Amino acid sequence: MKPSFYDLNYSDLEAVISQNDLNPSVASVLFNWHYKKKETAPCQQKISTHSSNFFQENFDFSLPEIDTVYESEKDRTVKFLFKLKDHHKVETVLIPFNNKYSICLSSQVGCAMNCSFCFTGEQGLKRNLTTSEIIGQFLQAWHWLASHRPGEQRILNIVFMGQGEPLHNFDAVKKACEIFLSQHGTSIGIQKITISTAGYIPGLKRWREEIPGVNLALSLHSPFTEKRNELIPLNKKYPLDEVLAYIDEIPLQKKQFITYEYILIKDFNDATDDAKKLGTMLAGKSAYINLIPFNPFPGSRYTCPDWDTIENFKTVLDTFKIPTLIRGTKGDDVLAACGQLNSNNKT
Ligand code: SAH
């Protein structure tokens, strides 16, 4: 099988070009063609026939196949089920805001973290996605918008909050970020990409050294050890205080902050004491809190608190002067909201 063109970052492409004595200008033409113009057929313009033939003969330009599209009738969220070459499936979500979109990408088939509140974890980890499979989710979603909602193909934010633990598949995620960020390609702004982690310290170290400008979100979910252990088993290996201490040492860029995600689960982590402890823990940091009302899924053991409890939790956090947002549950009618992604789901 030929390697995928979409596995090459810009410097990989330059290396292929120089090793094969092709014209160095081909690199920028091809990135422009596939990532700015978003053409999926091999390029036959502005490069020699020799170069064009070389790429057609040696690289695969196909994208992951869209198996099913679910459109929310409530809020226009779109969920894609992709079928990969080995027949594994992953999901991707387009979340609309002001006629633009954020895209929520998957980084693995399933997930090894086994968080008790997350539908994806029930699948276990099947395998890592390749860079081309990550980039492919973005390009296919863009093409779907171009044909189904013409004029709306503006995907301005990328969040790695779909299936999988992105820091557990660092190499492929890093390369995908490099392609997204490349000036020659999609040129997404560096602060428009966010990687969400359950707190995988080896990956955090690499993030800090290798792609520090990409934003980080930490799934915190409880400031108390026992509760966090129940929610995120990874906490037993990499406890929250070590993760927070590590994150605190990271020099942030101007206007950069860390997002702390907090799922609100009824009668579990939604009390005033939880909010006070969370506020004490994060006060004074460059922090932004995203409160996520728990999204139920078939067979889930938790439920979502009522609206008053959610608002009360935010009011307590406000006293600590930490900016806090209650994240809406877009797309929940098509199981596209946070934690509802499970490509084995037959419902
Ligand atoms: N593994 C990464 C990214 C995937 S989860 C991480 O743990 O951060 C992305 C976000 O969805 C996380 O904040 C996660 O905690 C949240 N999430 C998972 N299941 C959920 C559910 N059932 N309801 C609401 N949010 C959920």
Side-chain angles (χ1 to χ4, degrees):
M1 216 167 44
K2 294 181 202 174
S4 171
F5 175 84
Y6 309 105
D7 277 323
L8 304 174
N9 66 15
Y10 197 71
S11 49
D12 295 337
L13 179 58
E14 286 181 318
V16 168
I17 288 170
S18 97
Q19 281 153 16
N20 293 282
D21 291 327
L22 303 176
N23 186 331
S25 69
V26 168
S28 67
V29 174
L30 290 190
F31 253 51
N32 190 67
W33 178 257
H34 291 290
Y35 295 122
K36 270 208 171 57
K37 298 207 168 103
K38 313 228 174 20
E39 299 288 350
T40 47
C43 179
Q44 290 177 319
Q45 295 172 11
K46 292 192 190 159
I47 58 172
S48 64
T49 313
H50 174 64
S51 298
S52 172
N53 289 345
F54 172 84
F55 279 97
Q56 289 198 50
E57 278 159 23
N58 292 290
F59 286 91
D60 174 27
F61 290 88
S62 66
L63 294 169
E65 189 188 320
I66 298 179
D67 183 280
T68 319
V69 180
Y70 305 86
E71 287 182 77
S72 163
E73 287 177 12
K74 209 178 83 177
D75 55 41
R76 307 184 82 234
T77 295
V78 191
K79 180 168 88 168
F80 299 93
L81 182 63
F82 285 105
K83 194 153 105 194
L84 307 174
K85 290 221 168 76
D86 59 3
H87 298 285
H88 277 311
K89 290 183 178 167
V90 286
E91 292 174 322
T92 305
V93 183
L94 276 174
I95 307 149
F97 66 98
N98 309 331
N99 290 330
K100 303 179 207 82
Y101 292 87
S102 289
I103 191 165
C104 179
L105 297 177
S106 291
S107 55
Q108 297 179 312
V109 181
C111 185
M113 299 297 129
N114 199 20
C115 297
S116 60
F117 52 84
C118 180
F119 202 14
T120 306
E122 291 189 355
Q123 281 180 265
L125 176 65
K126 299 290 190 313
R127 70 167 173 87
N128 283 331
L129 292 185
T130 60
T131 297
S132 51
E133 288 166 336
I134 296 172
I135 294 285
Q137 296 170 54
F138 176 94
L139 291 175
Q140 285 289 53
W142 189 95
H143 281 290
W144 184 89
L145 283 174
S147 56
H148 292 83
R149 298 182 184 176
E152 284 190 37
Q153 59 274 36
R154 284 178 296 170
I155 308 177
L156 300 190
N157 287 297
I158 296 177
V159 295
F160 283 91
M161 295 186 186
Q163 287 160 298
E165 165 55 47
L167 293 185
H168 201 213
N169 181 18
F170 192 84
D171 289 325
V173 168
K174 176 187 168 190
K175 207 168 254 198
C177 289
E178 288 167 345
I179 294 172
F180 287 134
L181 294 169
S182 169
Q183 302 286 315
H184 303 283
T186 41
S187 59
I188 303 265
I190 191 149
Q191 301 210 344
K192 303 284 184 198
I193 304 182
T194 302
I195 291 181
S196 179
T197 180
Y200 183 62
I201 291 186
L204 278 172
K205 290 189 173 156
R206 291 197 61 191
W207 166 74
R208 173 185 175 167
E209 278 155 28
E210 299 177 42
I211 41 172
V214 167
N215 286 320
L216 187 76
L218 176 72
S219 290
L220 201 154
H221 307 331
S222 175
F224 296 108
T225 304
E226 271 185 25
K227 286 193 209 179
R228 194 164 192 269
N229 283 348
E230 175 177 330
L231 296 173
I232 308 175
L234 186 73
N235 194 56
K236 294 177 202 152
K237 190 154 188 207
Y238 302 113
L240 181 61
D241 44 358
E242 279 177 34
V243 174
L244 290 180
Y246 188 77
I247 290 177
D248 282 348
E249 284 172 17
I250 297 171
L252 295 180
Q253 309 197 348
K254 231 177 158 187
K255 290 199 193 150
Q256 197 182 7
F257 50 79
I258 305 286
T259 302
Y260 294 92
E261 297 164 278
Y262 192 98
I263 293 190
L264 281 164
I265 300 173
K266 185 174 159 52
D267 298 332
F268 184 82
N269 65 355
D270 60 347
T272 302
D273 279 352
D274 295 285
K276 281 189 183 156
K277 175 90 176 172
L278 178 66
T280 313
M281 203 172 233
L282 299 182
K285 298 188 198 290
S286 287
Y288 196 101
I289 299 179
N290 253 340
L291 294 177
I292 314 168
F294 175 73
N295 289 312
F297 51 84
S300 56
R301 67 173 101 156
Y302 305 115
T303 52
C304 181
D306 58 37
W307 190 248
D308 284 351
T309 310
I310 295 172
E311 287 211 313
N312 173 60
F313 201 90
K314 178 175 169 4
T315 309
V316 178
L317 287 174
D318 286 343
T319 65
F320 291 88
K321 311 244 178 307
I322 309 168
T324 301
L325 180 92
I326 301 173
R327 201 194 278 170
T329 48
K330 285 193 174 164
D332 54 348
D333 56 335
V334 288
L335 283 191
C338 296
Q340 295 185 314
L341 303 184
N342 180 320
S343 31
N344 279 347
N345 178 37
K346 304 286 186 303
T347 54

